[in-house]
């Protein structure tokens, strides 16, 4: 970045602690809208609302100057008219500009585009209102958008919605996703010069000016994050020592529950605020508007924060940005957005209660639902919240005694959903919950009765909706990302699907209930085996176990919880393999692609398989789990938890 090197700043502020921040200013010209205080200046293209520049202190622009004005920062969506089938990438270029609020304390502006039938099939049938806000003394700005699909408008699918920032690659080279996930990153040019691996996003860096990066794999999906953990990420540079951060103050601003996984920042340098995508879920996921349905939704606000200091210690900037994130979360819901579609704190409600678990095979007493995930989402079936992307969701964690409070809920009708770490299945409260302005609803003690037919004979894993506890292999030594060596998220390494073939080149996994340890002996993903000519074959795993005193007229139950599935078909055989038909089959399920995208979970699935006692034998038994789909390295499942239960009145050792 020419002329912008060797800048030294004090942290967060361009004015002394005894001075008063300057008022917020707005300047509008036919081509540009400028909003600025004495720290940050935001330059927007008039009337499209695209982000032309972000100035910070005496840095003219932190966005990439080599890109054209309309390519540096923008809201975008991916949409389809289902009857046409063509997918469209749309930067939501607006046609009208409005000033919403203007004072010394705050400026809020709006960029609008409206649809009508005369615009034809190539324009998204959606009204869009993009907002930008700057406050006095803030080292950054806020943005949110309101989408509306009016009644009787054409059918519409929205697959993705986000804000993208393309930062100056000569300034920003160090990315931070969490305290444990921070590293120097390759440039876009270094990625372009690298070797593309199994898919275009995964690149082996072969030509770089930084020796530490040479020979490493870079893939944007290696930096994905669950909603519950994704409230701040961004970039830092050393000269000047500056940080650029995307802060998400509340999960209300985006779709999905706490376990929905999505992208964050990645090489470019690019920083994203993702509000909606089908990543780690599949093409069924997204906003699907049919039959002239009316739909309206606010995405955001998110806060774009910039900081700097006179040193060169990245943890200092990270810590400051994290403190800012905590401040933003504490202020939620914000009191300054002007849209009537964003209710204030007084217009919202809350619900509180206590969740308990009753599992008579574990205890005759009620069990406290420690650390349960409890949420309000649109009415539906048990677990339906994970497939919902149209509506708002509000989640919290119960305390150690199962008590929970969900605050700041928008008025509406909801179901109360929950799941408990260490317990299989989904809870749904039987009655609808109606939240009104100012509601404070207490529902007292509620009890979850998880799926259970009889006492546990054996189990594999921990029911937490992930495959985290299972064996994750080391990557191929020439296909590593050094960030994830000896890292808790080791599963983020590239190519682990092929390591199954390295470990089991001819025979498949055999797990002995009496002797095996799932932390060492259960491969984290049930994938295909690579054979000659890059072909991939189905694989069959064996679970071997002993039984005595079998109840020949009773029904045993095999519980199979899946943490993800991608074009998979899990077939179950009992003691005999390859009879004419399997005892049970899931059929082809899932498109979450979590295996290829370095996840440890995607969409959750739960199955209960009845097994007649007459199918079992005294002594050694075998349950075969066949992943019957082949021809692809990314086909397969991750198991969350497997359990065999005795008949309801049968108690065996």
């Amino acid at each position: 970045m020419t002329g912008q090197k060797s800048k030294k700043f004090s942290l967060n502020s361009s004015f002394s602690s005894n001075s008063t921040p300057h008022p917020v200013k707005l300047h509008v010209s036919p081509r540009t809208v400028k909003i600025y205080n004495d720290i940050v200046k935001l330059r927007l293209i008039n009337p499209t609302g695209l982000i032309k520049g972000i100035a910070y202190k005496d840095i003219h622009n932190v966005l990439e100057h080599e890109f054209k004005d309309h390519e540096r920062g923008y809201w975008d969506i991916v949409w389809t008219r289902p009857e046409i089938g063509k997918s469209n990438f749309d930067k939501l270029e607006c046609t009208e500009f409005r000033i919403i609020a203007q004072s010394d304390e705050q400026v809020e502006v709006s960029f609008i585009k409206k649809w009508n039938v005369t615009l034809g099939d190539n324009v998204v049938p959606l009204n869009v209102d993009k907002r930008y806000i700057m406050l006095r003394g803030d080292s950054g700005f806020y943005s949110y958008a309101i989408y509306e699909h009016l009644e009787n408008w054409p059918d519409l699918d929205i697959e993705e919605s986000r804000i993208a920032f393309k930062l100056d690659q000569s300034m920003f080279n160090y990315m931070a996703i969490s305290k444990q996930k921070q590293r120097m990153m390759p440039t876009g040019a270094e990625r372009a010069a690298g070797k593309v691996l199994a898919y275009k996003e995964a690149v082996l860096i072969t030509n770089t000016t930084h020796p530490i990066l040479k020979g490493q794999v870079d893939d944007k999906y290696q930096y994905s994050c669950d909603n519950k953990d994704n409230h701040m990420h961004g970039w830092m540079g050393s000269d000047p020592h500056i940080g650029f951060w995307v802060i998400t103050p509340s999960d209300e601003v985006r779709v999905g529950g706490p376990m929905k996984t999505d992208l964050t920042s990645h090489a470019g340098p690019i920083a994203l605020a993702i509000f909606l995508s089908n990543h780690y879920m599949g093409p069924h996921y997204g906003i699907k508007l049919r039959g002239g349905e009316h739909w309206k939704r606010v995405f955001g606000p998110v806060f774009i924060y910039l900081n700097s200091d006179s040193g060169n210690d990245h943890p200092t900037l990270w810590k400051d940005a994290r403190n800012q994130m905590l401040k933003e979360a504490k202020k939620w819901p914000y009191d300054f957005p002007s849209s009537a579609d964003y209710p204030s704190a007084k217009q919202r409600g809350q619900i509180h209660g206590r969740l308990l678990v009753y599992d008579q095979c574990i205890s005759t007493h009620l069990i406290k639902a420690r650390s349960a995930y409890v949420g309000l989402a649109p009415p539906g079936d048990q677990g339906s919240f994970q497939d919902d992307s149209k509506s708002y969701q509000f989640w919290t964690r119960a305390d150690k005694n199962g008590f929970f409070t969900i605050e700041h809920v928008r008025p509406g009708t909801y179901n109360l959903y929950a799941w408990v770490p260490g317990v299989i299945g989904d809870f749904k409260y039987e009655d609808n919950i109606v939240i009104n302005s100012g509601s404070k609803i207490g529902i007292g003690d509620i009890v979850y009765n998880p799926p259970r037919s009889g006492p546990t004979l054996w189990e594999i894993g921990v029911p937490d909706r992930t495959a985290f506890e299972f064996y994750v292999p080391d990557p191929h030594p020439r296909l590593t990302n050094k960030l994830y060596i000896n890292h808790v998220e080791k599963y983020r390494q590239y190519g682990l699907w092929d390591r199954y073939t390295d470990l089991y080149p001819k025979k498949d996994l055999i797990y002995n209930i009496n002797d095996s340890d799932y932390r060492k002996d259960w491969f984290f993903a049930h994938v295909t085996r690579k054979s000659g000519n890059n072909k991939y074959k189905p694989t069959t795993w064996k679970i071997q176990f002993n039984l005595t005193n079998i109840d020949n007229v009773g029904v045993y139950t095999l519980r199979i919880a899946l943490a993800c599935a991608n074009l998979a078909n899990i077939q179950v055989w009992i003691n005999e393999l390859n009879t004419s038909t399997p005892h049970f089959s899931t059929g082809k399920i899932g498109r979450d692609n979590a295996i290829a995208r370095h996840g440890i979970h995607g969409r959750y699935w739960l199955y209960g398989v009845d097994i007649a006692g007459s199918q079992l034998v005294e002594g050694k038994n075998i349950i075969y789990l066949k992943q019957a789909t082949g021809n692809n390295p990314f086909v397969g499942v991750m198991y969350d938890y497997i359990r065999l239960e005795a008949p309801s009145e049968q108690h065996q050792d």
Side-chain angles (χ1 to χ4, degrees):
M1 184 177 63
T2 305
Q4 295 186 8
K5 295 295 184 181
S6 300
K7 305 289 185 185
K8 299 297 181 182
F9 307 109
S10 61
L11 189 62
N12 298 336
S13 178
S14 60
F15 47 84
S16 72
S17 59
N18 295 322
S19 64
T20 301
H22 295 178
V24 187
K25 298 291 187 180
L26 173 66
H27 181 268
V28 180
S29 70
R31 299 183 63 181
T32 306
V33 175
K34 299 178 183 177
I35 314 171
Y36 54 97
N37 55 28
D38 43 358
I39 308 172
V40 174
K41 178 185 285 186
L42 177 63
R43 291 183 293 146
L44 305 164
I45 300 175
N46 192 2
T48 64
L50 304 180
I51 303 170
K52 180 179 181 179
I54 303 171
Y56 175 68
K57 298 184 178 178
D58 54 357
I59 298 176
H60 176 66
N61 197 354
V62 300
L63 302 181
E64 179 51 61
H65 61 281
E66 292 188 1
F67 291 144
K68 295 179 180 179
D69 288 356
H70 63 275
E71 296 176 336
R72 296 172 181 170
Y74 44 81
W75 282 79
D76 68 59
I77 64 172
V78 177
W79 64 274
T80 304
R81 289 276 296 273
E83 72 276 15
I84 298 173
K86 178 186 175 184
S87 182
N88 302 274
F89 175 79
D90 191 333
K91 292 182 182 176
L92 299 178
E93 297 188 25
C94 295
T95 57
E96 179 184 345
F97 166 72
R98 295 186 303 164
I99 299 171
I100 302 298
Q102 184 178 8
S103 70
D104 289 351
E105 303 301 318
Q106 172 181 341
V107 167
E108 179 172 351
V109 298
S110 165
F111 297 86
I112 295 172
K113 65 178 298 185
K114 294 182 177 181
W115 186 83
N116 64 70
V117 69
T118 65
L119 296 174
D121 296 338
N122 294 321
V123 177
V124 59
L126 199 68
N127 286 341
V128 176
D129 184 354
K130 297 187 294 189
R131 302 286 184 100
Y132 298 92
I133 302 173
M134 188 175 291
L135 305 180
R136 185 202 285 256
D138 272 6
S139 186
F141 62 93
Y142 299 85
S143 187
Y144 67 105
I146 305 154
Y147 298 166
E148 185 172 21
H149 181 272
L150 294 182
E151 189 175 353
N152 297 322
W153 278 11
D155 292 352
L156 174 65
D157 293 346
I158 305 176
E159 304 162 29
E160 180 179 276
S161 179
R162 65 181 191 172
I163 313 175
F165 298 94
K166 299 178 179 179
L167 304 180
D168 189 319
Q169 59 187 317
S170 69
M171 183 184 303
F172 296 96
N173 63 358
Y174 195 87
M175 188 178 75
I177 307 301
S178 69
K179 185 177 181 180
Q180 292 78 29
K181 291 192 287 187
Q182 303 185 15
R183 63 164 301 175
M184 178 180 288
M185 293 291 289
T187 65
E190 289 170 336
R191 275 185 53 88
K195 178 183 177 182
V196 177
L197 299 173
Y199 45 85
K200 65 180 182 179
E201 292 88 354
V203 172
L204 183 67
I205 305 300
T206 57
N207 186 7
T208 174
T209 58
H210 299 94
I212 192 173
L213 296 175
K214 188 172 183 179
Q216 291 197 55
V217 173
D218 178 71
D219 181 346
K220 66 181 181 181
Y221 293 109
Q222 292 180 315
Y223 309 107
S224 297
C225 197
D226 291 350
N227 280 351
K228 62 183 174 60
D229 303 316
N230 179 16
H231 294 107
M232 185 195 77
H233 60 86
W235 289 83
M236 291 175 276
S238 297
D239 189 9
H241 195 222
I242 182 175
F244 182 99
W245 308 97
V246 177
I247 293 178
T248 303
S250 167
D251 289 336
E252 176 191 333
V253 311
R254 54 195 171 197
V255 303
M259 297 289 283
K260 173 68 174 73
T261 308
D262 228 313
L263 297 173
T264 55
S265 291
H266 60 81
I270 293 173
L272 301 174
I274 299 280
F275 304 106
L276 161 72
S277 87
N278 59 23
H279 296 140
Y280 302 90
M281 285 297 291
H284 78 282
Y285 192 79
I287 296 166
K288 301 183 187 300
L289 304 170
R290 298 290 186 272
E293 176 183 357
H294 177 259
W295 172 81
K296 195 174 191 180
R297 166 81 200 225
V298 177
F299 289 113
V302 293
F303 184 48
I304 307 307
Y305 179 64
L306 293 95
N307 62 359
S308 60
D309 68 12
S310 58
N312 200 29
D313 184 26
H314 287 335
T316 301
L317 295 185
W318 166 263
K319 183 178 180 180
D320 172 71
R322 185 178 183 279
N323 287 338
Q324 186 65 39
M325 179 269 289
L326 295 174
K327 292 178 183 177
E328 298 298 324
K330 190 174 182 179
K331 291 190 293 184
W332 189 269
Y334 295 138
D335 60 5
F336 49 82
S338 300
S339 172
D341 295 304
Y342 181 83
S344 67
K346 292 181 179 179
Q347 295 171 308
R348 296 168 179 250
Q350 68 164 237
I351 185 171
H352 60 273
R354 181 170 65 157
L355 180 64
L356 302 166
V357 177
Y358 181 64
D359 186 337
Q360 61 181 348
C361 292
I362 295 177
S363 174
T364 57
H365 301 287
L366 292 172
I367 303 168
K368 300 169 184 176
R370 182 186 182 99
S371 301
Y373 291 82
V374 187
L376 293 176
D381 298 328
Q382 285 182 331
S384 62
F385 66 86
Q386 67 175 334
D387 294 315
D388 170 69
S389 57
K390 284 184 183 178
S391 308
Y392 301 100
Q393 297 191 25
F394 301 87
W395 288 83
T396 192
R397 298 290 299 272
D399 66 15
K400 65 181 181 180
N401 295 311
F403 288 101
F404 64 88
T405 300
I406 305 174
E407 297 182 303
H408 311 313
V409 182
R410 287 170 169 263
T413 300
Y414 302 89
N415 280 160
L416 182 75
Y417 302 92
W419 65 272
V420 185
V423 180
I424 63 170
D426 285 284
F427 169 79
K428 175 193 162 186
Y429 186 59
E430 57 187 4
D431 297 328
N432 285 350
I433 303 295
V434 179
I435 299 291
N436 295 310
S437 178
S439 291
K440 292 186 178 180
I441 298 173
I443 59 172
D445 290 352
I446 53 179
V447 179
Y448 173 41
N449 295 278
R452 171 72 76 172
S453 296
T456 300
L457 296 175
W458 52 257
E459 59 187 349
I460 301 172
V462 177
D464 61 359
R465 300 187 177 227
T466 80
F468 183 81
E469 68 271 25
F470 297 127
Y471 175 72
V472 177
D474 291 329
H476 190 286
R478 293 194 296 273
L479 295 172
T480 64
N481 181 325
K482 291 185 178 179
L483 173 63
Y484 294 112
I485 294 176
N486 298 321
H487 194 282
V488 67
E489 294 185 20
K490 182 181 179 180
Y491 55 84
R492 299 285 185 194
Q493 294 281 11
Y494 173 84
L496 299 184
W497 51 85
D498 278 340
R499 300 301 276 168
Y500 178 81
T501 302
D502 296 335
L503 291 169
Y504 302 93
K506 297 187 181 297
K507 295 184 178 181
D508 284 320
L509 182 150
I510 299 175
Y511 190 89
N512 293 295
I513 291 297
N514 290 335
D515 303 321
S516 299
D517 181 343
Y518 62 76
R519 296 167 296 183
K520 301 176 182 178
D521 303 317
W522 190 270
F523 198 79
F524 80 105
H526 192 166
V527 291
T528 51
R529 177 187 289 105
K530 186 176 182 180
S531 59
N533 300 319
N534 282 327
K535 293 183 178 180
Y536 290 83
K537 296 182 177 180
T539 53
T540 303
W541 293 7
K542 296 180 185 179
I543 303 173
Q544 299 181 162
F545 57 98
N546 292 319
L547 286 181
T548 59
N549 300 319
I550 293 172
D551 182 350
N552 289 308
V553 297
V555 176
Y556 294 72
T557 305
L558 180 68
R559 307 280 180 191
I560 302 175
L562 302 178
C564 87
N566 191 57
L567 297 170
N569 181 5
I570 298 299
Q571 298 177 348
V572 178
W573 274 269
I574 311 299
N575 284 325
E576 284 188 80
L577 181 63
N578 293 329
T579 54
S580 57
T581 58
H583 178 75
F584 170 82
S585 174
T586 62
K588 188 174 285 188
I589 57 171
R591 288 284 299 278
D592 62 33
N593 216 16
I595 293 169
R597 291 175 171 170
H598 324 296
I600 201 63
H601 72 87
R603 187 189 186 281
Y604 179 74
W605 307 76
L606 179 62
Y607 297 94
V609 182
D610 290 342
I611 302 172
S614 58
Q615 293 179 272
L616 301 170
V617 298
E618 295 286 329
K620 181 179 177 181
N621 289 265
I622 300 176
I623 290 177
Y624 298 90
L625 299 176
K626 181 177 182 179
Q627 199 299 102
T629 310
N631 302 320
N632 189 317
F634 309 127
V635 165
V637 301
M638 297 180 198
Y639 297 99
D640 167 37
Y641 176 73
I642 302 176
R643 180 172 78 205
L644 182 65
E645 298 171 6
S648 58
E649 296 181 0
Q650 178 81 15
H651 295 267
Q652 298 186 10
D653 294 330

